[in-house]
Amino acid sequence: MQPHLLKGALLLLLAEACFAGIGAVVKYSSDLASEAQIVFFRNLFALVLMLPFLYRHGFAMLKTQRWHLHLSRALSGLISMYCFFYVLSQLPLAQAMMVIMLSPFIVPILARFWLNERPSRATRFGIVLGFIGVVLALPSPDPGLNLVLLLALFSAFLVAITKTTIRAMASTESAVRIVFYFSLLTAVLSAIPVPFYWQPLSSQVWLAFVAMGILAAIGQLAMTRAFAIAPASDIGMWTYSSVLFAGAFGYLFWQEPVTWGWLAGVMVIFYAGYVTTRQRLF
């Protein structure tokens, strides 16, 4: 058995639950704050929550020779964030999480050419099976939203880049260092447009921003650790789990319908994740 793969899958499940929660908070906040404010405070509160980790590990933790990868990940992650948050404001939550659903198709391709990780036959089968599950789970959106879906596709590509970058850095960078620099760089960069899009915020929105920061910090740490201990091409399938969390949040908070097709898709998605993970556990 290789328990590191199981641990990586469980950490990724936790991360995806947090990211689906962020999606729900962003959707709630989209009518109450500007997108620039949402992106900035998501990153700022995540950075604040990382400070205790910095104190615990000491400033020596910040020493790195891989600035180019930290900056690349921050830029791709920030652009993806702007795209994703806009998509969340335009689509039902479960459909908007399609952004996350698309990235696992791209991660093994990037890992193959960038990291020379060869996905196994079972992994390739799982990817196809996962795609079928996504088709079943997510109903077709309004044809008038084609441009929004193209933006979602672009965001998914950037998400795949950030996840593959984590794997590329894992040999020399700790999970805490990777997340800290991501939070720091994205907070600084996203602060630039805020003065131009500022609007008054209610106490409810401030609480939502704090919750978003907490979920972001936990999700980033869990995801970073997951991809550090297990190959991206083998556990990336568990990213599909966010459709389950998104569907549950959408139903609970916005009464978005849960159809039989959606339930069938979720079952197929989890079976695809099981097929992919089981190959290395036994």
Side-chain angles (χ1 to χ4, degrees), residues 107-175:
V107 168
I109 299 173
L110 293 175
R112 170 66 182 88
F113 292 101
W114 185 359
L115 308 178
N116 201 30
E117 293 182 358
R118 296 177 179 270
S120 66
R121 183 176 298 178
T123 297
R124 294 194 297 268
F125 172 72
I127 289 172
V128 174
L129 202 61
F131 175 76
I132 294 172
V134 170
V135 172
L136 290 172
L138 302 179
S140 299
D142 188 332
L145 296 174
N146 287 338
L147 289 178
V148 175
L149 294 181
L150 288 176
L151 194 63
L153 178 60
F154 178 61
S155 180
F157 177 75
L158 294 175
V159 169
I161 290 177
T162 63
K163 292 181 177 181
T164 311
T165 305
I166 291 172
R167 184 65 180 166
M169 291 191 289
S171 60
T172 62
E173 309 296 280
S174 68

Side-chain angles (χ1 to χ4, degrees), residues 32-111:
L32 306 173
S34 68
E35 187 177 1
Q37 289 174 305
I38 295 173
V39 172
F40 170 67
F41 284 111
R42 176 258 187 239
N43 294 316
L44 177 63
F45 284 118
L47 175 61
V48 170
L49 290 167
M50 285 301 302
L51 294 180
F53 290 94
L54 177 62
Y55 176 78
R56 178 182 176 183
H57 290 81
F59 285 94
M61 180 203 73
L62 300 179
K63 186 177 180 180
T64 181
Q65 301 295 325
R66 313 190 80 176
W67 281 104
H68 64 292
L69 289 178
H70 285 291
L71 182 59
S72 172
R73 181 179 179 239
L75 288 172
S76 59
L78 185 60
I79 296 171
S80 174
M81 214 177 293
Y82 281 114
C83 296
F84 180 40
F85 286 4
Y86 177 75
V87 171
L88 281 170
S89 70
Q90 300 298 311
L91 295 176
L93 182 60
Q95 291 185 0
M97 291 304 292
M98 177 172 51
V99 174
I100 306 299
M101 298 301 96
L102 293 173
S103 62
F105 303 126
I106 307 170
V107 168
I109 299 173
L110 293 175

